[in-house]
Amino acid sequence: AAQSIESNFIFYSEEMNQRAKEHLRIESELRQALQNNELALFYQPKVSLRSGRIVGAEALLRWRHPLRGLVSPGVFIPVAEETGLILDLGEWVLEEACRQVREWRDANLIMPPIAVNLSARQFDAGLPHRIAVVLERYGVQPDQINLEITESLLVRGTDNVIAIMNQLVAMGMSLALDDFGTGYSSLAYLKKFPISTLKIDRSFVIGLPYEENDCAIARAIVTMAQQLRQEIVAEGVETAEQMSFLRELGCDQLQGYLFSPPVPAIEFATMLREGKRL
Ligand code: C2E
Ligand code: CA
Ligand code: CA
Ligand code: CA
C-alpha cells in the first residue's frame, strides 16, 4: 500500500509539474505576444430578434501564435487571470476596441455599440479614469463601448464595486452581466447593481427547446430581466429552434453561430455595410 501511495504521489506531482511548466510557458509567450502584436480582436454580432438587424457586437480576444496558429482565450485567459497579466491584456483590449471604433467612424461606418469583456481584476477604483483616458485618446463616445462583467464581481459585492459601476454608468457606459445563471446572483441581488443587460449563458441555451430544465431556467431569467427592465441577450444560439423559443420568451437579442461566429474586424464591417439580416 505504501508503495502505491508513493507512486501515486510521484505521478501526481509529475502532472502538476507539467501543468506548472505549461503555465509558465504560456505566461512568458503571452508577454511577448503583447509586444509583438500577436493579439487581435474578433467581433461577434448581436442581432435584434425583433428587427433581425445587427444591434451590437462583442469583441473577443484572439492570439495569432506564430507556431500554434489561432489560440483561443479559453487557453490563455485563465493563465492571464492567475498571473495578473490580465491587467495589461485588458488595457490592450480597451485600447484596441476604441482604436477600431474610431477607424470605423473615420470610414463613415455607422457602428452599433461594441462590448468588451472586463476581468474582475480590472475592477478597481482607478478603472473609470483609465477608461475615460482611452475614450478621450480616440475621441470615442462612452455609449459606443459597453462593458461585460461576470457574476464573480457581484459576489464580491462591496459598496466599492457598486460605486465604481455607478461611476461608469454616470460616464455614459452600459454594463452587461455575462454568463448569467452560472454564478450565484439572485433577483434581490441584481437590483443593487446598475446593470442594463443580462446575457443568458450558453449552457442554458444548448438544451432549448428540448430540455425541460433549460427551458424553465431561460424562462425564469427572461421574466426576471423584464421585471427589472433589463435587455436580455442569449449567447451561443446555434439553431433555428433555439431562436424561435427565445423569441417567444421575449428575449431581445441573440448572439451565436446561427447568425455568425466571431470574425475579424474587416469581415464584421462588411456584414454591417451589406446590412446582413437574421
Ligand atoms: P464569453 O464572454 O462568454 O464569450 C462568448 C464565447 O462563446 C466566445 O468564446 C464565443 O466565441 C463563443 N460562442 C459564441 N457563439 C457561440 C455558439 O453559437 N456556439 C459556441 N459553441 N460558442 C459560441 P471565446 O471567444 O473562445 O471566448 C471565451 C471566453 O474568454 C469568453 O467567454 C470570455 O470569458 C473570455 N474572453 C474573451 N475575450 C476576452 C477579453 O478581451 N477579456 C477578458 N477578460 N475575457 C475574454
Ligand atoms: Ca462576454
Ligand atoms: Ca458570455
Ligand atoms: Ca459563456
Side-chain angles (χ1 to χ4, degrees):
Q3 200 181 4
S4 96
I5 287 168
E6 191 171 296
S7 57
N8 260 334
F9 174 73
I10 290 166
F11 175 72
Y12 193 59
S13 64
E14 192 55 39
E15 192 178 310
M16 295 214 304
N17 198 16
Q18 283 302 325
R19 269 183 45 103
K21 275 189 191 150
E22 172 87 355
H23 244 67
L24 277 175
R25 182 182 60 72
I26 295 176
E27 185 191 351
S28 79
E29 288 189 355
L30 201 49
R31 266 181 220 288
Q32 293 206 326
L34 261 167
Q35 278 162 3
N36 301 348
N37 250 331
E38 291 168 19
L39 298 176
L41 289 180
F42 275 30
Y43 297 85
Q44 185 175 38
K46 298 178 184 178
V47 252
S48 159
L49 275 165
R50 215 160 297 129
S51 69
R53 292 181 186 280
I54 298 174
V55 290
E58 178 174 4
L60 292 155
L61 201 49
R62 295 291 180 268
W63 179 4
R64 301 183 203 271
H65 192 285
L67 301 174
R68 273 177 271 273
L70 215 55
V71 182
S72 127
V75 175
F76 63 88
I77 293 277
V79 177
E81 289 273 1
E82 230 169 271
T83 57
L85 204 55
I86 193 71
L87 296 176
D88 290 338
L89 277 185
E91 286 291 305
W92 183 88
V93 168
L94 264 171
E95 170 123 18
E96 172 59 14
C98 289
R99 189 202 60 75
Q100 185 64 70
V101 163
R102 176 56 188 262
E103 187 181 302
W104 279 326
R105 192 180 78 205
D106 288 345
N108 289 321
L109 253 182
I110 295 175
M111 226 356 96
I114 304 297
V116 299
N117 290 284
L118 282 188
S119 154
R121 292 189 70 153
Q122 290 175 267
F123 225 86
D124 60 30
L127 180 68
H129 177 69
R130 291 200 302 275
I131 294 180
V133 167
V134 178
L135 290 172
E136 178 101 351
R137 183 175 308 142
Y138 291 93
V140 169
Q141 296 298 118
D143 61 0
Q144 267 293 317
I145 304 286
N146 294 342
L147 303 172
E148 295 192 4
I149 58 175
T150 55
E151 281 171 300
S152 61
L153 193 59
L154 308 196
V155 177
R156 213 171 81 194
T158 54
D159 289 347
N160 199 14
V161 167
I162 299 179
I164 297 167
M165 286 184 182
N166 283 332
Q167 255 180 292
L168 292 167
V169 171
M171 280 165 55
M173 307 197 80
S174 313
L175 303 177
L177 189 55
D178 208 353
D179 302 339
F180 188 73
T182 57
Y184 301 95
S185 309
S186 67
L187 181 63
Y189 218 76
L190 269 183
K191 271 198 315 196
K192 296 198 298 186
F193 302 91
I195 285 162
S196 51
T197 305
L198 289 188
K199 297 190 76 178
I200 305 178
D201 191 62
R202 186 169 77 86
S203 58
F204 305 115
V205 172
I206 289 177
L208 305 179
Y210 305 110
E211 289 285 333
E212 245 171 75
N213 286 341
D214 289 345
C215 292
I217 291 167
R219 191 173 292 119
I221 293 175
V222 172
T223 307
M224 183 185 83
Q226 283 170 340
Q227 244 132 51
L228 292 172
R229 298 202 164 49
Q230 287 163 335
E231 290 267 302
I232 311 136
V233 182
E235 61 178 32
V237 180
E238 296 183 355
T239 70
E241 286 89 349
Q242 290 167 347
M243 176 179 68
S244 312
F245 185 86
L246 289 160
R247 179 180 277 140
E248 250 161 69
L249 280 190
C251 185
D252 300 293
Q253 296 170 25
L254 73 76
Q255 184 184 342
Y257 295 170
L258 177 67
F259 186 77
S260 169
V263 293
I266 190 153
E267 283 177 45
F268 178 62
T270 303
M271 274 188 228
L272 268 180
R273 219 176 261 117
E274 293 174 351
K276 179 177 175 186
R277 311 252 316 240
L278 194 59

